[in-house]
Amino acid sequence: MIDFSVSLLGLADSFNLLLWIIIFLGRFQGVRNRELTLSVVGDWLGFCVAALGVSLVVRFSGWTPPHLGENPFLGILLCLLAVFAFFTRNKGTSLWDLANKLTKRCYSSPGAAILLGIVLGVVQSVTSVPFIGAVLTLLAEGNGAMLFVSMLLYSLIAISSSFVVLLLLSSKKQAHSVGTISMERVNLLLAAALFIIGALLIYASLT
C-alpha cells in the first residue's frame, strides 16, 4: 500500500492548473457536465497510460528503482519548484491563453473531450516530478496485485483535486465571471502548497 510520502506526492501531482482552467472555461461557456466529466476521466486515463509506460520501461530495463520517499531529494526539489513558481506567478496569463485555445477544441465533441484529457494526463504525468518519484517508489516496493492496488490508489489521489473542481463547478448554475479569477493569486496558492508538501516530505524522510 502507499505510504505517507507517496500520498503527499499524489497530492502534489494533483495540482493540474491547466485542466482546472479548461474545466472552468468549459463551464463558463455552457458545456454540459457530461463533456466536462469526460475530460477529467480522460486525464485519469492518460495518467494510467503514463504510469503503465514508465512501469514497462523500468521492468524491461531490469533496473531496480530506489525508494525515493526515504530520501529528502524530492522534498527539496518540490521546495525549489515552489520558489520558482512564486517568482514566475505573474506569467500565469500565458497558461490562461493556452487553456482558452484548448477549450474550444476539447469540448467540440465527447470524443474530443476524452482524447484531449488523455493527452493532458500523459503530458502532465511524464513531466511531473512527483509522478516520476511516486511511480519509481511504488515499483521499488513490489509488484503483482499489491502494485496494481497501490497504483490505483495513487491515481485516485492524483486526480482528486480535478474532480473536486469539477463537482464544485457542476453544482453551480452559472460560473463566475472569468475576470474574477486572479491567476497570480492561484499560482501563489499553488506555490505555497508545493512548498508545504515539499517540507513535509523532507521531514518524513528524516524521521
Side-chain angles (χ1 to χ4, degrees):
M1 290 294 180
I2 60 176
D3 57 19
F4 177 69
S5 61
V6 175
S7 298
L8 285 176
L9 289 172
L11 183 60
D13 200 18
S14 72
F15 297 150
N16 189 347
L17 184 56
L18 180 58
L19 180 60
W20 296 352
I21 300 174
I22 289 176
I23 295 171
F24 175 83
L25 289 175
R27 184 70 180 90
F28 180 76
Q29 296 170 9
V31 176
R32 292 179 297 178
N33 289 335
R34 183 184 68 170
E35 278 72 22
L36 296 175
T37 303
L38 285 175
S39 64
V40 179
V41 171
D43 187 78
W44 176 74
L45 291 175
F47 171 89
C48 294
V49 169
L52 177 61
V54 173
S55 300
L56 290 176
V57 169
V58 172
R59 293 306 186 197
F60 282 119
S61 68
W63 175 54
T64 301
H67 190 298
L68 296 177
E70 299 175 352
N71 191 302
F73 172 75
L74 272 182
I76 295 172
L77 188 55
L78 282 184
C79 288
L80 292 176
L81 288 175
V83 172
F84 176 78
F86 174 79
F87 285 108
T88 59
R89 63 189 186 279
N90 293 325
K91 298 181 179 180
T93 52
S94 59
L95 187 63
W96 187 276
D97 293 336
L98 174 61
N100 197 25
K101 293 178 182 178
L102 292 176
T103 301
K104 297 177 182 178
R105 301 178 182 179
C106 178
Y107 299 121
S108 59
S109 68
I114 196 167
L115 179 60
L116 185 57
I118 292 174
V119 173
L120 287 177
V122 172
V123 173
Q124 179 211 3
S125 297
V126 298
T127 57
S128 169
V129 172
F131 169 83
I132 298 298
V135 171
L136 292 182
T137 296
L138 292 176
L139 289 172
E141 292 182 341
N143 50 36
M146 186 59 68
L147 176 62
F148 175 80
V149 173
S150 297
M151 287 285 192
L152 179 61
L153 290 175
Y154 178 81
S155 69
L156 293 176
I157 296 175
I159 198 66
S160 60
S161 66
S162 294
F163 271 112
V164 170
V165 171
L166 176 65
L167 290 174
L168 289 176
L169 290 178
S170 297
S171 64
K172 296 181 180 296
K173 293 183 178 180
Q174 183 176 4
H176 294 293
S177 170
V178 176
T180 62
I181 293 184
S182 170
M183 286 299 298
E184 181 179 358
R185 184 175 300 177
V186 172
N187 285 333
L188 183 60
L189 291 174
L190 289 178
L194 280 179
F195 189 87
I196 292 172
I197 291 174
L200 288 174
L201 282 172
I202 295 173
Y203 177 79
S205 66
L206 297 176
T207 56

